[in-house]
């Protein structure tokens, strides 16, 4: 695939300020997806997670400009334990794999070295719905990734308008977090089977409009009602410019 070099070529491979701001808008839309967006809980009762350790894997793939994509897969050893009327899910990272275009190889390596410590513990109610978890925070590793992005941008010759737009893009990366994605669906661990689609229109600055389309599907164990696998596609569109983020989860024995 052809790659642009020289003046105006940067980490996002876009030439003009409007395109950069539009890409930032798409990233902002992705962060607007709430944990309860389109939740349809399974039938109440009957949620029986095992006490033995399980392998929980999440893969996230983000579309980037120019036909590129960024993918990160993390696996965790997790255990469920009873707490009050519900459960608590705890775990630790055991594997990671990251793939990204060469032009953001430095950022990909930082993400590859990062150990996800902010996900657990997750509190579940009696029906398996996510009821709480650690306060979301930007990790030091993500701060390093943003600093690296700024350094790469500083290496490029840009006029004042382009630099301001590029900096706004970096701020969006800081907010959303490469590889962190949107919040977990509240019903992730006890989903109703089948597919659901939800759409939401969102007003953006500069008189632009946006839309988020979320498609979620899942398969659960018929006995425990615990999620076996799930998939969520988040399509964000700003003025006809769309980006897709796909998340895949699996949960099962080692």
């Amino acid at each position: 695939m052809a790659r642009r070099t020289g003046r105006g070529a940067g980490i996002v491979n876009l030439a003009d300020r409007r395109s950069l701001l539009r890409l930032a808008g798409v990233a902002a839309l992705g962060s607007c997806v709430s944990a309860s967006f389109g939740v349809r809980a399974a039938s109440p009762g009957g949620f029986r997670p095992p006490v033995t350790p399980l392998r929980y894997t999440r893969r996230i793939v983000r579309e980037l400009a120019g036909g590129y994509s960024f993918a990160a897969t993390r696996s965790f050893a997790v255990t469920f334990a009873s707490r009050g009327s519900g459960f608590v899910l705890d775990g630790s990272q055991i594997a990671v794999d990251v793939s990204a275009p060469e032009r953001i190889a430095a950022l990909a390596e930082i993400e590859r070295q990062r150990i996800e410590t902010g996900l657990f513990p997750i509190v579940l109610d009696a029906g398996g719905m996510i009821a709480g978890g650690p306060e979301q925070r930007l990790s030091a590793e993500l701060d390093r990734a943003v600093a690296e992005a700024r350094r790469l941008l500083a290496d490029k010759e840009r006029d004042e308008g382009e630099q301001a737009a590029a900096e706004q893009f970096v701020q969006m990366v800081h907010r959303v977090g490469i590889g962190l994605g949107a919040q977990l669906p509240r019903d992730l661990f006890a989903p109703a089977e089948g597919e659901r689609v939800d759409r939401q229109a969102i007003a953006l600055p500069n008189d632009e409009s946006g839309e988020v389309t979320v498609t979620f599907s899942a398969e659960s164990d018929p006995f425990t009602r615990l999620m076996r696998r799930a998939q969520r596609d988040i399509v964000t569109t700003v003025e006809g410019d769309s980006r897709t983020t796909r998340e895949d989860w699996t949960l099962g024995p080692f």
Side-chain angles (χ1 to χ4, degrees):
M1 181 176 297
R3 300 189 181 188
R4 203 171 149 227
T5 59
R7 180 178 175 81
I11 189 170
V12 294
N13 198 29
L14 294 173
D16 62 281
R17 183 174 185 273
R18 182 174 180 81
S19 294
L20 278 165
L21 292 177
R22 181 169 294 166
L23 181 56
V26 170
L29 276 178
S31 66
C32 292
V33 178
S34 72
S36 58
F37 195 54
V39 167
R40 185 177 73 242
S43 301
F47 182 69
R48 297 181 291 269
V51 296
T52 54
L54 300 173
R55 184 184 184 97
Y56 167 63
T57 298
R58 180 199 187 201
R59 175 175 172 81
I60 181 168
V61 181
R62 293 186 184 278
E63 282 188 350
L64 304 176
Y68 294 97
S69 64
F70 178 97
T73 303
R74 294 183 186 277
S75 294
F76 305 83
V78 299
T79 54
F80 290 87
S82 297
R83 176 181 291 182
S85 61
F87 305 89
V88 62
L89 174 63
D90 209 347
S92 58
Q93 181 175 302
I94 57 174
V96 61
D97 181 70
V98 177
S99 62
E102 184 179 351
R103 61 196 174 98
I104 56 171
L107 300 180
E109 183 58 28
I110 292 172
E111 181 67 9
R112 193 174 291 114
Q113 296 299 321
R114 185 176 67 84
I115 298 177
E116 179 60 79
T117 59
L119 181 59
F120 301 102
I122 299 174
V123 178
L124 307 175
D125 66 18
M129 298 291 103
I130 295 177
E135 181 181 353
Q136 292 187 349
R137 61 187 183 275
L138 290 172
S139 67
E141 290 83 3
L142 182 56
D143 289 336
R144 286 173 53 207
V146 172
E148 177 66 13
R150 287 201 175 101
R151 185 191 68 78
L152 293 173
L153 289 172
D155 287 343
K156 307 296 181 181
E157 293 184 12
R158 295 177 180 273
D159 62 33
E160 188 173 337
E162 286 177 329
Q163 189 63 36
E167 177 64 20
Q168 184 166 350
F169 170 77
V170 170
Q171 292 297 337
M172 287 299 177
V173 173
H174 202 292
R175 282 186 56 194
V176 179
I178 294 176
L180 298 182
Q183 299 182 48
L184 296 177
R186 285 194 60 239
D187 60 339
L188 176 62
F189 296 104
E193 293 204 12
E195 181 179 278
R196 61 178 185 259
V197 180
D198 299 278
R199 292 181 177 86
Q200 180 176 328
I202 298 177
L204 295 172
N206 303 320
D207 296 322
E208 292 193 341
S209 60
E211 182 182 73
V212 179
T213 301
V214 180
T215 303
F216 181 84
S217 60
E219 175 188 326
S220 58
D221 184 279
F223 177 72
T224 64
R225 295 193 177 176
L226 191 64
M227 179 267 291
R228 284 178 172 170
R229 58 182 58 87
Q231 178 178 302
R232 178 171 65 178
D233 289 342
I234 304 173
V235 181
T236 55
T237 303
V238 176
E239 295 293 310
D241 186 9
S242 296
R243 296 285 187 274
T244 299
T245 296
R246 167 165 290 184
E247 297 167 281
D248 293 284
W249 298 270
T250 59
L251 183 63
F254 280 93

